[in-house]
Amino acid sequence: MSVSTTDPRPGDVDTIPILDFGSQYVQLIARRVREAGAFGVLLAPDASPEEIMRWKPKGIILSGGPASIDEDGAPTCHPDLFDLDLPMLGICYGMQLGSSKLGATVCRAEASEYGRAQLQVKQATGLFAGLPDDTTVWMSHGDQVESVTDHFDVLASTDTCPVAAVKHKHRDFYGLQFHPEVTHTPLGADILRNFIYEVCSCSGTWRMADYMEMQCAALPEIVGDHRVVCGLSGGVDSSVVAALLHKAIGDKLTCIFVDNGLLRKNERDMVETTFRDHFDIDLRVVDAEAEFLSDLEGIDDPQEKRKRIGHRFIDVFSKSAAEVVKDGGPAVKFLAQGTLYPDVIESGHGHAGTAANIKLHHNVGGLPDDLEFDLIEPLRDLFKDEVRALGEVLGVPPDIVWRHPFPGPGLAVRVLGEITKPRLDLLRECDEIVLEEIVAADLYRSTQQVFAVLLPVRSVGVMGDGRTYDSVVAVRAVETQDFMTADWARIPHDVLATISNRIINEVDGVNRVVYDISSKPPATIEWE
């Protein structure tokens, strides 16, 4: 069972529900609304008026979508949606659906528009207040509003789309055939801000501190007299979850950190210092290095590594959680997890009232059913950058807040080939040097993931007066916005030279360093 801690929104937070009709850009709409100072939240396309009003909304956005409004199975809204006395903005499919419901005619366009188009603004008020008469927008549609009757005003058009923006004369409904949420519409953020401020009369006061206070009010009511266990990895998401829960419920939280022997250098010490000493959290550290390395002995297949690590993690975590249950005191009822908004949406469970898949911080799938914990996901409404902002509000140290992602199986997928403790230790030393030099060059925050990889090959070299036959280490650094695609980072040559020199001179057993200049796709960010 998944327990939501974020609906409905308190009355003093400006909220804009977004009805999701399947647009590939729907997450961007939520982001743009939040960036403008209101809280954008995704709801099912057919959310009832009662469900919508529970959020105390200032307005509603109807997203785009890939369907045609009259095709079989096309998503539609609740029949009473337009009886709500709220401002509404329909985008692409949302415009077509809303305009159709209010009397306009939608048909297949003579010329579909995909890409940039020049928009001619006819009424530079309301949505288009402060915008020039001509501006670039991003179109992506095959259908369009053809006839708007006397009930609509046409606000803007393009050469092939005479009705590119409308406003209903008697209702607070606006429609845009283009996508204001994408960066390809340069003034799109201004249009959305006009909707939020000029049309919906939002105050623009929503901040991450509001989210923290909201959670701190909701979590104690949900938890009651019970306890919560949280799997802590030392990564950003689980760390922020732990800090938030600790602030909200205090000593009713127990964190479990599994030392699997596949961690970065000094990772365990960092977690213990931060959460046991700094936050004074009840932290249980499980030393399971021997078990994990035993499972991985002789295994070089990447998928088999992941499978064995996942099974062992479930076993270790389950036993540790059971020990917390046996400790006495308040009963353990909840498992906390750092699920984020993109995780929820991508798993197909993005709408209110549905449960998210349990992914855990090690990406190993669900815990056994017999644990019988309810799931608390206090970050499920946030994007990654918002989680970092929340971490700063909570006082999580910057070294954790701004950490690069680390794979669930840890260094097991960065030691290519067989996993042994000596090979892990060698990679740890190399990885530490890479990160030290990236930080020293002030490149850490401008790159999204940087790490070293130990290759399963040996290379001939010359060191001193003799030949060597030692390991090869690859350095990987990428820049990305969403981790779905990524480009290799153009690290300055002098920085790469320093990294290479330090690794070869300071790490015994390495005589060659190479730099990975592959983009994703076709390569992946991790090597395994």
Side-chain angles (χ1 to χ4, degrees):
M1 173 183 175
S2 178
V3 180
S4 174
T5 59
T6 53
D7 55 316
R9 197 71 39 210
D12 59 350
V13 175
D14 293 337
T15 303
I16 306 289
I18 301 157
L19 303 189
D20 179 8
F21 291 95
S23 170
Q24 61 181 318
Y25 304 127
V26 71
Q27 292 186 46
L28 282 177
I29 301 174
R31 290 185 67 91
R32 299 295 178 254
V33 170
R34 295 180 189 187
E35 289 166 1
F39 191 85
V41 61
L42 302 187
L43 298 183
D46 58 351
S48 68
E50 292 77 18
E51 181 181 354
I52 293 171
M53 294 307 294
R54 286 177 64 233
W55 293 79
K56 304 179 179 67
K58 301 286 283 188
I60 300 172
I61 294 177
L62 284 64
S63 85
S68 294
I69 63 170
D70 57 354
E71 70 182 40
D72 290 341
T76 190
C77 59
H78 191 280
D80 298 332
L81 176 68
F82 292 95
D83 292 336
L84 295 176
D85 186 22
L86 287 170
M88 296 187 192
L89 173 64
I91 297 174
C92 197
Y93 182 94
M95 171 187 175
Q96 297 161 15
L97 179 66
S99 299
S100 174
K101 296 288 186 183
L102 297 175
T105 302
V106 176
C107 67
R108 194 70 183 172
E110 291 185 9
S112 298
E113 280 188 301
Y114 298 99
R116 290 181 175 86
Q118 285 302 118
L119 186 78
Q120 292 86 47
V121 176
K122 300 178 182 298
Q123 294 189 25
T125 59
L127 284 186
F128 297 102
L131 268 70
D133 292 341
D134 292 278
T135 184
T136 301
V137 297
W138 183 262
M139 289 284 192
S140 179
H141 67 96
D143 297 343
Q144 64 185 34
V145 175
E146 180 183 41
S147 172
V148 293
T149 72
D150 293 336
H151 296 301
F152 289 88
D153 288 326
V154 177
L155 305 181
S157 62
T158 71
D159 290 343
T160 57
C161 183
V163 186
V166 297
K167 180 190 182 302
H168 196 276
K169 291 181 178 179
H170 310 296
R171 297 172 182 260
D172 237 355
F173 175 82
Y174 295 79
L176 301 174
Q177 187 55 70
F178 57 90
H179 290 273
E181 68 273 23
V182 301
T183 56
H184 301 308
T185 300
L187 299 181
D190 296 306
I191 296 171
L192 288 173
R193 288 178 66 86
N194 281 340
F195 176 71
I196 291 167
Y197 291 105
E198 300 297 326
V199 178
C200 298
S201 301
C202 291
S203 59
T205 57
W206 185 81
R207 299 292 183 269
M208 192 51 64
D210 297 327
Y211 192 88
M212 180 187 71
E213 292 171 4
M214 176 176 59
Q215 293 288 342
C216 287
L219 284 164
E221 293 186 12
I222 292 172
V223 172
D225 295 329
H226 300 97
R227 270 194 295 178
V228 179
V229 292
C230 174
L232 184 60
S233 70
V236 179
D237 303 338
S238 68
S239 297
V240 173
V241 167
L244 177 60
L245 283 166
H246 180 64
K247 183 176 180 64
I249 63 173
D251 59 8
K252 293 178 183 175
L253 170 68
T254 296
C255 290
I256 299 173
F257 176 78
V258 177
D259 183 352
N260 57 13
L262 306 171
L263 307 174
R264 288 166 284 197
K265 187 176 181 180
N266 300 322
E267 182 119 27
R268 175 171 171 173
D269 292 340
M270 181 271 294
V271 169
E272 290 191 271
T273 299
T274 301
F275 293 95
R276 183 176 287 153
D277 301 338
H278 177 68
F279 283 107
D280 195 27
I281 289 176
D282 177 20
L283 175 64
R284 314 289 177 92
V285 177
V286 184
D287 189 349
E289 179 183 45
E291 292 91 330
F292 278 89
L293 295 188
S294 175
D295 291 342
L296 293 169
E297 185 175 356
I299 304 299
D300 59 11
D301 179 73
Q303 294 308 314
E304 184 63 22
K305 288 181 187 178
R306 290 178 180 272
K307 181 179 178 180
R308 293 186 177 220
I309 292 168
H311 287 167
R312 177 59 65 179
F313 177 81
I314 290 172
D315 179 64
V316 171
F317 187 90
S318 301
K319 289 178 179 177
S320 301
E323 289 300 317
V324 175
V325 172
K326 295 177 183 177
D327 282 351
V332 178
K333 183 179 179 181
F334 298 98
L335 170 67
Q337 177 177 303
T339 305
L340 305 190
Y341 213 11
D343 299 328
V344 174
I345 296 168
E346 288 169 6
S347 66
H349 302 292
H351 305 306
T354 60
N357 293 330
I358 300 177
K359 294 172 67 176
L360 291 176
H361 62 285
H362 276 261
N363 303 320
V364 296
L367 289 172
D369 292 336
D370 57 10
L371 278 180
E372 298 182 349
F373 292 150
D374 288 343
L375 189 62
I376 286 182
E377 299 171 308
L379 307 183
R380 63 182 281 124
D381 284 339
L382 301 183
F383 296 98
K384 189 75 171 188
D385 57 324
E386 294 174 320
V387 173
R388 296 189 195 277
L390 177 59
E392 290 183 321
V393 171
L394 288 163
V396 177
D399 288 349
I400 293 180
V401 168
W402 293 100
R403 291 192 98 183
H404 288 178
F406 188 60
L411 296 181
V413 293
R414 294 179 180 174
V415 171
L416 276 56
E418 184 179 0
I419 305 297
T420 64
K421 192 172 189 314
R423 298 191 77 210
L424 288 165
D425 289 340
L426 183 150
L427 180 59
R428 269 187 272 267
E429 296 300 324
C430 296
D431 195 62
E432 181 78 357
I433 290 172
V434 171
L435 293 176
E436 285 177 356
E437 293 304 325
I438 291 296
V439 170
D442 197 24
L443 296 171
Y444 192 78
R445 293 199 189 183
S446 63
T447 52
Q448 282 64 59
Q449 209 161 349
V450 181
F451 54 91
V453 180
L454 180 60
L455 304 187
V457 296
R458 291 186 177 274
S459 165
V460 174
V462 178
M463 301 182 74
D465 295 324
R467 296 172 68 84
T468 61
Y469 192 59
D470 284 330
S471 296
V472 179
V473 168
V475 175
R476 179 73 156 145
V478 300
E479 298 172 351
T480 178
Q481 291 186 333
D482 55 15
F483 290 91
M484 301 301 293
T485 62
D487 194 14
W488 60 277
R490 272 62 172 177
I491 303 297
H493 291 176
D494 58 338
V495 177
L496 291 175
T498 301
I499 289 172
S500 177
N501 289 337
R502 284 196 58 193
I503 289 176
I504 292 171
N505 289 314
E506 297 177 25
V507 182
D508 188 31
V510 179
N511 67 1
R512 191 179 298 269
V513 175
V514 298
Y515 188 55
D516 183 346
I517 57 170
S518 309
S519 296
K520 176 186 178 182
T524 55
I525 295 176
E526 297 287 344
W527 278 50
E528 284 192 346

